[in-house]
Amino acid sequence: METTLLTRITLNPNVGHGKPTIRNTRYLVEGLLEYLAAGDSIDEVLESFPDLEKEDLLACLQYA
């Protein structure tokens, strides 16, 4: 499962200024971790960003 989750993290110099993103989208891993660190639950983040999946946030946590 670990390897599968980490495949959701992408590095692309043309997306997110080359910072780690989720599935080559505009969602920066750093930004999503900030939401979680501020106390938002995974469900709250998913509610705010419906195009994300729970596994995306788990991948961020694992990456960190």
Side-chain angles (χ1 to χ4, degrees), residues 24-37:
N24 223 19
T25 64
R26 63 184 176 90
Y27 295 112
L28 296 176
V29 170
E30 174 184 3
L32 295 172
L33 287 172
E34 287 175 0
Y35 280 102
L36 296 172

Side-chain angles (χ1 to χ4, degrees), residues 3 7 10 14 22-23 28-30 33-34 50 53 56 60 62 64:
T3 305
T7 60
T10 53
N14 297 317
I22 294 294
R23 294 181 281 125
L28 296 176
V29 170
E30 174 184 3
L33 287 172
E34 287 175 0
E53 300 170 358
D56 295 330
C60 289
Q62 186 175 17

Side-chain angles (χ1 to χ4, degrees), residues 1-2 4 9 12 17 19 21 27 32 37 41 51 58 60 64:
M1 180 168 159
E2 289 181 22
T4 304
I9 307 295
N12 182 337
H17 304 286
K19 293 183 177 184
T21 61
Y27 295 112
L32 295 172
S41 70
D51 47 333
L58 295 176
C60 289

